[in-house]
Amino acid sequence: MSNKTLKIALAVSVALNLFAVAGGVAYGVSRAQADRKIEAQNKPGRQGPFGEMLASLPQDVREKVHTSLRESALAARPDFEAARAARLEAVDVAGAPTFDAARVQALLEQSRSAELRGRARLENDAIAVLGGLTPEQRKTLSPILQRKGGVHREPHRDGQPNRPPHPDTRH
């Protein structure tokens, strides 16, 4: 073999080895990411302030509270969706070429009314849950009555935020 052939063979060998090493590294990184995702999905309970509150309760109480509040949230969901839809329609009507103030006002009132129905359901169900707890457990869970939206907001299953987009960003 000539020197030129040996140099070409060496270059090809080095290139193949680099390709194999890069492939191995990529596989290792993607495998680690997949393992982290699987581990995160298998974690019991919720993350964040509400999950931390629940974590401090005994398992049987935690399950009862979680189930009750989840059922309440699912029951209130149509009210919040109706409120969101009415508000979005009000935004659309307000941005129309001809302004119909009465229609915008009616839609906003409809939105507020639906939101208040949903909030009332959530609060009444939370009070019922709190009523079945010990004083220490009630003290732990009483912050759920605060009107902070960030504690319970999660993205919808489709990944979109749980609030309407700003009117300038809608198409």
Side-chain angles (χ1 to χ4, degrees):
M1 279 191 167
S2 69
N3 278 342
K4 187 175 182 178
T5 306
L6 285 175
K7 287 180 184 179
I8 292 173
L10 179 62
V12 168
S13 175
V14 169
L16 286 175
N17 284 329
L18 287 175
F19 181 74
V21 169
V25 170
Y27 173 77
V29 168
S30 66
R31 180 70 184 184
Q33 287 175 342
D35 289 344
R36 281 194 301 272
K37 286 181 183 179
I38 290 170
E39 183 179 318
Q41 289 175 345
N42 291 333
K43 277 187 181 177
R46 293 177 57 171
Q47 302 299 318
F50 184 69
E52 292 168 9
M53 282 189 279
L54 284 179
S56 66
L57 298 175
Q59 180 67 26
D60 59 329
V61 174
R62 181 173 45 235
E63 288 174 6
K64 182 179 94 174
V65 167
H66 184 265
T67 300
S68 297
L69 294 178
R70 178 168 174 74
E71 288 172 359
S72 176
L74 290 173
R77 178 181 243 165
D79 290 323
F80 290 113
E81 288 174 350
R84 188 175 305 111
R87 188 160 296 275
L88 288 173
E89 188 176 348
V91 169
D92 289 341
V93 171
T98 56
F99 182 64
D100 184 354
R103 178 80 175 131
V104 172
Q105 183 65 34
L107 287 167
L108 291 175
E109 287 175 15
Q110 184 181 12
S111 174
R112 280 191 301 273
S113 176
E115 185 174 349
L116 287 174
R117 278 193 314 272
R119 288 197 65 72
R121 179 186 295 267
L122 291 177
E123 291 167 352
N124 290 335
D125 291 348
I127 290 168
V129 167
L130 290 171
L133 301 176
T134 66
E136 296 84 26
Q137 293 168 344
R138 272 196 315 274
K139 184 174 182 171
T140 300
L141 280 181
S142 64
I144 66 174
L145 297 176
Q146 290 178 339
R147 201 173 162 172
K148 287 185 178 178
V151 173
H152 298 288
R153 283 199 183 149
E154 293 181 1
H156 279 275
R157 286 187 174 84
D158 63 3
Q160 296 300 313
N162 208 8
R163 60 188 183 285
H166 189 276
D168 292 343
T169 61
R170 291 182 353 133
H171 300 287

